[in-house]
Structure formats: C-alpha cells, structure tokens
Amino acid sequence: MYRQVKVLIVDDHALVREGLKTILGSQSGIQVVGMAGDGEEAVRLFKRLEPDVVLMDLSMPVKDGVQAMRELLSSDKPARVLALTAHVDQDHIFSALDAGASGYLLKNSTRDELVMAIQTVMEGKVYLAPGISGEVAKGFLKVARDTTGGKLSNLTGREKEIFRLVAEGYKNREIAEFLVISVKTVEKHRSNLMKKLELNSASELKKLWAEMHDNPPSA
C-alpha cells in the first residue's frame, strides 16, 4: 500500500475493537482513525472521520451492521466496508453483500488475512474469506433455482415433458414418436417453452436442466 489507509473499526465488544486496533496499528500503511460500539455511532464517526475502510460487525445493538452499512454507503463520501463477523450462513453473507459490502471476513481469520482483505478492497476488488465463496455459489444457485421455478410454473404439462426429453438428448422426431404427436407439434411446444424460459439454444436448456438437478450437462 502506497499511502496510509484510514480504518474505522465497528464492533460492540471492546476487547475485539482493542485487539483489531493493536493488530492494525502494527501494520505500516494502516491507520486506525476511530472505533465504534454500534451501527449508529459508526455512521456518526464515518461522517466525521471519512475513513477509507470500515471494518463492520454485523450483530450489534442500536443499529446493526447491515443497517449502518446501507446508511453510510448511501452518502456522498466514498468508502469500502468489510463485514467482519462470526456468521457463515448464507442469510448474513447475502445481506451484507446486498447492502454494499466490499468484502466478508470471519473473526477467526489470521492477521495476514485481515491485512490482505483491506488491501484487496482498497484495490476496488471484492474479498471473500476462504470457505465463504462456496456458500456464495450455493446461494446464487438457490436464487437461480427459485427464479427458474417461477418460470417453470408457466409451462404447460406437455411443455414440461418436452423440456425434460430435450434436456435428456432426444431429437424432435424421437420425442414426437414417444409422445405420439407430430414433429410440427413438438417444434411448436419447444419454441414456446424456450421463450417462456428465456433460452436461446438446446445447450442452454440442457445446462439449465443440469443446474436444477445438480448434474453436469450431457453432451
């Protein structure tokens, strides 16, 4: 880091605040400019101290970390917020990222990981603690499934049958023979379901089917 990075520490436990201050105070290029014990105090100090990075606990009294994050990130003063928490569940991770956090760091992280996280967000990148990226991926897949589920509810019974058969690699003529309908009817149903699912090709359809069932798409 080429200049002093001003850091504001926000946590409702005094020992945690003091510990972080000691760790960061020993690092060249980092200056702890303030500490807050709750989200409301954090917003006040943020406006006055204008830190570069805010280390933000999520579970705090008066105003929690996510609420404080939304408030301070809506201001005109640029800042990067690192969520610093013991929570590893998807709800907390996505709440923080949705509020605008530039990173998600766990309280069992090492000193080097803490410094790396600050450096990473200062470069304009997102930092996710080791192990968190997997939870994020699972969460995105769940969102995709939920969204897809809504679209699938718009398909007719016949369209769902054809969706499955196309995904399993059957050709239009084979589907027509299996369902005892004309190839033209298969093509019509296939066109309709592609539009409803907002897909452009058979490969996209197979990929979607595979994601819904946690299987790799067939060739």
Side-chain angles (χ1 to χ4, degrees):
M1 289 177 285
Y2 301 101
R3 68 177 182 84
Q4 288 282 98
V5 176
K6 297 186 295 183
V7 176
L8 172 63
I9 297 171
V10 186
D11 196 288
D12 60 329
H13 293 95
L15 282 175
V16 174
R17 295 196 301 272
E18 293 296 336
L20 289 169
K21 181 180 179 181
T22 300
I23 292 171
L24 295 178
S26 67
Q27 303 297 310
S28 60
I30 297 179
Q31 177 189 8
V32 176
V33 295
M35 298 189 292
D38 59 66
E40 192 168 288
E41 185 182 8
V43 173
R44 289 199 304 270
L45 288 180
F46 173 78
K47 294 175 180 177
R48 179 163 61 86
L49 301 173
E50 299 186 6
D52 300 303
V53 175
V54 180
L55 291 178
M56 182 77 75
D57 187 18
L58 297 184
S59 300
M60 296 183 293
V62 185
K63 182 177 292 183
D64 67 30
V66 171
Q67 289 177 302
M69 207 179 296
R70 291 186 188 281
E71 190 169 335
L72 63 85
L73 288 176
S74 66
S75 70
D76 296 330
K77 300 174 182 178
R80 296 166 178 85
V81 180
L82 260 173
L84 181 60
T85 178
H87 298 295
V88 295
D89 58 285
Q90 291 180 14
D91 287 343
H92 281 91
I93 296 170
F94 276 85
S95 292
L97 296 178
D98 184 60
S102 296
Y104 200 95
L105 190 64
L106 299 179
K107 287 187 175 179
N108 63 0
S109 299
T110 65
R111 177 186 60 188
D112 290 343
E113 288 171 342
L114 173 61
V115 174
M116 182 186 297
I118 292 173
Q119 292 173 334
T120 299
V121 299
M122 281 301 296
E123 292 171 359
K125 301 174 184 177
V126 174
Y127 181 88
L128 295 177
I132 291 298
S133 56
E135 290 301 310
V136 172
K138 290 178 187 176
F140 275 119
L141 182 56
K142 181 179 184 300
V143 171
R145 282 175 173 165
D146 290 345
T147 302
T148 301
K151 294 176 182 177
L152 284 175
S153 66
N154 294 325
L155 299 183
T156 65
R158 181 66 85 188
E159 287 167 351
K160 289 177 182 177
E161 284 183 299
I162 293 175
F163 176 28
R164 175 180 63 80
L165 292 168
V166 172
E168 291 176 354
Y170 291 96
K171 304 299 182 184
N172 286 353
R173 185 170 296 280
E174 293 172 322
I175 295 172
E177 292 175 357
F178 183 77
L179 297 178
V180 195
I181 56 178
S182 69
V183 173
K184 190 172 183 179
T185 300
V186 172
E187 292 173 346
K188 182 178 179 181
H189 285 308
R190 183 168 174 169
S191 175
N192 288 340
L193 75 89
M194 294 286 280
K195 288 178 182 177
K196 290 179 181 180
L197 296 177
E198 299 178 9
L199 302 174
N200 298 308
S201 65
S203 61
E204 288 183 3
L205 186 149
K206 290 179 181 179
K207 182 179 179 181
L208 175 59
W209 179 267
E211 288 175 348
M212 290 168 56
H213 295 80
D214 284 339
N215 293 316
S218 57

PDB file of all heavy atoms in Angstrom, residues 129-147:
ATOM      1  N   ALA A 129     -13.757 -14.321   2.484  1.00  0.00           N
ATOM      2  CA  ALA A 129     -12.934 -15.194   3.307  1.00  0.00           C
ATOM      3  C   ALA A 129     -12.931 -16.613   2.756  1.00  0.00           C
ATOM      4  O   ALA A 129     -13.919 -17.055   2.157  1.00  0.00           O
ATOM      5  CB  ALA A 129     -13.462 -15.196   4.740  1.00  0.00           C
ATOM      6  N   PRO A 130     -11.821 -17.333   2.915  1.00  0.00           N
ATOM      7  CA  PRO A 130     -11.779 -18.734   2.468  1.00  0.00           C
ATOM      8  C   PRO A 130     -12.954 -19.518   3.050  1.00  0.00           C
ATOM      9  O   PRO A 130     -13.238 -19.438   4.229  1.00  0.00           O
ATOM     10  CB  PRO A 130     -10.438 -19.228   3.046  1.00  0.00           C
ATOM     11  CG  PRO A 130      -9.594 -18.000   3.135  1.00  0.00           C
ATOM     12  CD  PRO A 130     -10.549 -16.904   3.527  1.00  0.00           C
ATOM     13  N   GLY A 131     -13.620 -20.263   2.205  1.00  0.00           N
ATOM     14  CA  GLY A 131     -14.776 -21.028   2.665  1.00  0.00           C
ATOM     15  C   GLY A 131     -16.097 -20.327   2.411  1.00  0.00           C
ATOM     16  O   GLY A 131     -17.132 -20.964   2.280  1.00  0.00           O
ATOM     17  N   ILE A 132     -16.055 -18.999   2.320  1.00  0.00           N
ATOM     18  CA  ILE A 132     -17.281 -18.234   2.085  1.00  0.00           C
ATOM     19  C   ILE A 132     -17.708 -18.299   0.621  1.00  0.00           C
ATOM     20  O   ILE A 132     -18.894 -18.307   0.300  1.00  0.00           O
ATOM     21  CB  ILE A 132     -17.091 -16.755   2.501  1.00  0.00           C
ATOM     22  CG1 ILE A 132     -16.962 -16.661   4.020  1.00  0.00           C
ATOM     23  CG2 ILE A 132     -18.242 -15.888   2.021  1.00  0.00           C
ATOM     24  CD1 ILE A 132     -18.185 -17.148   4.773  1.00  0.00           C
ATOM     25  N   SER A 133     -16.737 -18.380  -0.292  1.00  0.00           N
ATOM     26  CA  SER A 133     -17.068 -18.387  -1.718  1.00  0.00           C
ATOM     27  C   SER A 133     -17.994 -19.545  -2.072  1.00  0.00           C
ATOM     28  O   SER A 133     -18.871 -19.419  -2.921  1.00  0.00           O
ATOM     29  CB  SER A 133     -15.790 -18.459  -2.564  1.00  0.00           C
ATOM     30  OG  SER A 133     -15.009 -19.584  -2.200  1.00  0.00           O
ATOM     31  N   GLY A 134     -17.807 -20.689  -1.383  1.00  0.00           N
ATOM     32  CA  GLY A 134     -18.682 -21.832  -1.641  1.00  0.00           C
ATOM     33  C   GLY A 134     -20.110 -21.543  -1.240  1.00  0.00           C
ATOM     34  O   GLY A 134     -21.058 -21.915  -1.935  1.00  0.00           O
ATOM     35  N   GLU A 135     -20.294 -20.869  -0.107  1.00  0.00           N
ATOM     36  CA  GLU A 135     -21.634 -20.512   0.345  1.00  0.00           C
ATOM     37  C   GLU A 135     -22.277 -19.511  -0.602  1.00  0.00           C
ATOM     38  O   GLU A 135     -23.482 -19.568  -0.864  1.00  0.00           O
ATOM     39  CB  GLU A 135     -21.573 -19.919   1.762  1.00  0.00           C
ATOM     40  CG  GLU A 135     -21.228 -20.927   2.841  1.00  0.00           C
ATOM     41  CD  GLU A 135     -22.230 -22.067   2.900  1.00  0.00           C
ATOM     42  OE1 GLU A 135     -23.444 -21.805   2.940  1.00  0.00           O
ATOM     43  OE2 GLU A 135     -21.793 -23.234   2.881  1.00  0.00           O
ATOM     44  N   VAL A 136     -21.464 -18.598  -1.129  1.00  0.00           N
ATOM     45  CA  VAL A 136     -21.986 -17.623  -2.091  1.00  0.00           C
ATOM     46  C   VAL A 136     -22.459 -18.326  -3.345  1.00  0.00           C
ATOM     47  O   VAL A 136     -23.532 -18.040  -3.887  1.00  0.00           O
ATOM     48  CB  VAL A 136     -20.905 -16.570  -2.442  1.00  0.00           C
ATOM     49  CG1 VAL A 136     -21.380 -15.674  -3.576  1.00  0.00           C
ATOM     50  CG2 VAL A 136     -20.580 -15.731  -1.218  1.00  0.00           C
ATOM     51  N   ALA A 137     -21.672 -19.289  -3.824  1.00  0.00           N
ATOM     52  CA  ALA A 137     -22.046 -20.031  -5.026  1.00  0.00           C
ATOM     53  C   ALA A 137     -23.351 -20.795  -4.802  1.00  0.00           C
ATOM     54  O   ALA A 137     -24.236 -20.811  -5.660  1.00  0.00           O
ATOM     55  CB  ALA A 137     -20.928 -21.001  -5.407  1.00  0.00           C
ATOM     56  N   LYS A 138     -23.472 -21.426  -3.622  1.00  0.00           N
ATOM     57  CA  LYS A 138     -24.710 -22.146  -3.301  1.00  0.00           C
ATOM     58  C   LYS A 138     -25.898 -21.194  -3.290  1.00  0.00           C
ATOM     59  O   LYS A 138     -26.988 -21.521  -3.754  1.00  0.00           O
ATOM     60  CB  LYS A 138     -24.588 -22.819  -1.933  1.00  0.00           C
ATOM     61  CG  LYS A 138     -23.640 -23.995  -1.883  1.00  0.00           C
ATOM     62  CD  LYS A 138     -23.577 -24.536  -0.465  1.00  0.00           C
ATOM     63  CE  LYS A 138     -22.525 -25.617  -0.309  1.00  0.00           C
ATOM     64  NZ  LYS A 138     -22.419 -26.072   1.098  1.00  0.00           N
ATOM     65  N   GLY A 139     -25.675 -20.006  -2.735  1.00  0.00           N
ATOM     66  CA  GLY A 139     -26.753 -19.025  -2.651  1.00  0.00           C
ATOM     67  C   GLY A 139     -27.213 -18.565  -4.015  1.00  0.00           C
ATOM     68  O   GLY A 139     -28.411 -18.451  -4.275  1.00  0.00           O
ATOM     69  N   PHE A 140     -26.241 -18.309  -4.901  1.00  0.00           N
ATOM     70  CA  PHE A 140     -26.609 -17.883  -6.255  1.00  0.00           C
ATOM     71  C   PHE A 140     -27.375 -18.974  -6.983  1.00  0.00           C
ATOM     72  O   PHE A 140     -28.309 -18.714  -7.731  1.00  0.00           O
ATOM     73  CB  PHE A 140     -25.366 -17.496  -7.053  1.00  0.00           C
ATOM     74  CG  PHE A 140     -24.926 -16.080  -6.821  1.00  0.00           C
ATOM     75  CD1 PHE A 140     -23.674 -15.811  -6.303  1.00  0.00           C
ATOM     76  CD2 PHE A 140     -25.770 -15.013  -7.107  1.00  0.00           C
ATOM     77  CE1 PHE A 140     -23.268 -14.504  -6.073  1.00  0.00           C
ATOM     78  CE2 PHE A 140     -25.372 -13.705  -6.888  1.00  0.00           C
ATOM     79  CZ  PHE A 140     -24.116 -13.457  -6.368  1.00  0.00           C
ATOM     80  N   LEU A 141     -26.962 -20.232  -6.755  1.00  0.00           N
ATOM     81  CA  LEU A 141     -27.652 -21.345  -7.391  1.00  0.00           C
ATOM     82  C   LEU A 141     -29.081 -21.443  -6.877  1.00  0.00           C
ATOM     83  O   LEU A 141     -30.011 -21.697  -7.638  1.00  0.00           O
ATOM     84  CB  LEU A 141     -26.902 -22.653  -7.113  1.00  0.00           C
ATOM     85  CG  LEU A 141     -27.485 -23.921  -7.753  1.00  0.00           C
ATOM     86  CD1 LEU A 141     -27.601 -23.755  -9.251  1.00  0.00           C
ATOM     87  CD2 LEU A 141     -26.613 -25.122  -7.407  1.00  0.00           C
ATOM     88  N   LYS A 142     -29.263 -21.216  -5.566  1.00  0.00           N
ATOM     89  CA  LYS A 142     -30.607 -21.250  -4.989  1.00  0.00           C
ATOM     90  C   LYS A 142     -31.475 -20.161  -5.599  1.00  0.00           C
ATOM     91  O   LYS A 142     -32.641 -20.382  -5.939  1.00  0.00           O
ATOM     92  CB  LYS A 142     -30.546 -21.077  -3.477  1.00  0.00           C
ATOM     93  CG  LYS A 142     -31.917 -21.120  -2.799  1.00  0.00           C
ATOM     94  CD  LYS A 142     -31.798 -20.966  -1.306  1.00  0.00           C
ATOM     95  CE  LYS A 142     -33.161 -21.097  -0.634  1.00  0.00           C
ATOM     96  NZ  LYS A 142     -34.126 -20.090  -1.093  1.00  0.00           N
ATOM     97  N   VAL A 143     -30.904 -18.957  -5.751  1.00  0.00           N
ATOM     98  CA  VAL A 143     -31.650 -17.857  -6.364  1.00  0.00           C
ATOM     99  C   VAL A 143     -32.039 -18.219  -7.787  1.00  0.00           C
ATOM    100  O   VAL A 143     -33.164 -17.981  -8.236  1.00  0.00           O
ATOM    101  CB  VAL A 143     -30.808 -16.558  -6.360  1.00  0.00           C
ATOM    102  CG1 VAL A 143     -31.489 -15.480  -7.202  1.00  0.00           C
ATOM    103  CG2 VAL A 143     -30.630 -16.062  -4.940  1.00  0.00           C
ATOM    104  N   ALA A 144     -31.081 -18.819  -8.499  1.00  0.00           N
ATOM    105  CA  ALA A 144     -31.355 -19.212  -9.886  1.00  0.00           C
ATOM    106  C   ALA A 144     -32.475 -20.239  -9.944  1.00  0.00           C
ATOM    107  O   ALA A 144     -33.366 -20.180 -10.796  1.00  0.00           O
ATOM    108  CB  ALA A 144     -30.089 -19.783 -10.522  1.00  0.00           C
ATOM    109  N   ARG A 145     -32.449 -21.177  -8.983  1.00  0.00           N
ATOM    110  CA  ARG A 145     -33.495 -22.197  -8.945  1.00  0.00           C
ATOM    111  C   ARG A 145     -34.850 -21.590  -8.620  1.00  0.00           C
ATOM    112  O   ARG A 145     -35.869 -21.940  -9.214  1.00  0.00           O
ATOM    113  CB  ARG A 145     -33.135 -23.251  -7.897  1.00  0.00           C
ATOM    114  CG  ARG A 145     -32.084 -24.234  -8.360  1.00  0.00           C
ATOM    115  CD  ARG A 145     -31.709 -25.150  -7.229  1.00  0.00           C
ATOM    116  NE  ARG A 145     -30.824 -26.199  -7.680  1.00  0.00           N
ATOM    117  CZ  ARG A 145     -30.117 -26.954  -6.854  1.00  0.00           C
ATOM    118  NH1 ARG A 145     -30.179 -26.749  -5.566  1.00  0.00           N
ATOM    119  NH2 ARG A 145     -29.336 -27.904  -7.322  1.00  0.00           N
ATOM    120  N   ASP A 146     -34.864 -20.672  -7.660  1.00  0.00           N
ATOM    121  CA  ASP A 146     -36.117 -20.030  -7.284  1.00  0.00           C
ATOM    122  C   ASP A 146     -36.703 -19.259  -8.464  1.00  0.00           C
ATOM    123  O   ASP A 146     -37.895 -19.291  -8.720  1.00  0.00           O
ATOM    124  CB  ASP A 146     -35.897 -19.073  -6.109  1.00  0.00           C
ATOM    125  CG  ASP A 146     -35.592 -19.818  -4.818  1.00  0.00           C
ATOM    126  OD1 ASP A 146     -35.832 -21.042  -4.775  1.00  0.00           O
ATOM    127  OD2 ASP A 146     -35.108 -19.182  -3.868  1.00  0.00           O
ATOM    128  N   THR A 147     -35.814 -18.563  -9.179  1.00  0.00           N
ATOM    129  CA  THR A 147     -36.257 -17.799 -10.353  1.00  0.00           C
ATOM    130  C   THR A 147     -36.774 -18.729 -11.427  1.00  0.00           C
ATOM    131  O   THR A 147     -37.812 -18.509 -12.042  1.00  0.00           O
ATOM    132  CB  THR A 147     -35.093 -16.957 -10.920  1.00  0.00           C
ATOM    133  OG1 THR A 147     -34.625 -16.095  -9.895  1.00  0.00           O
ATOM    134  CG2 THR A 147     -35.552 -16.128 -12.102  1.00  0.00           C
TER     135      THR A 147
END
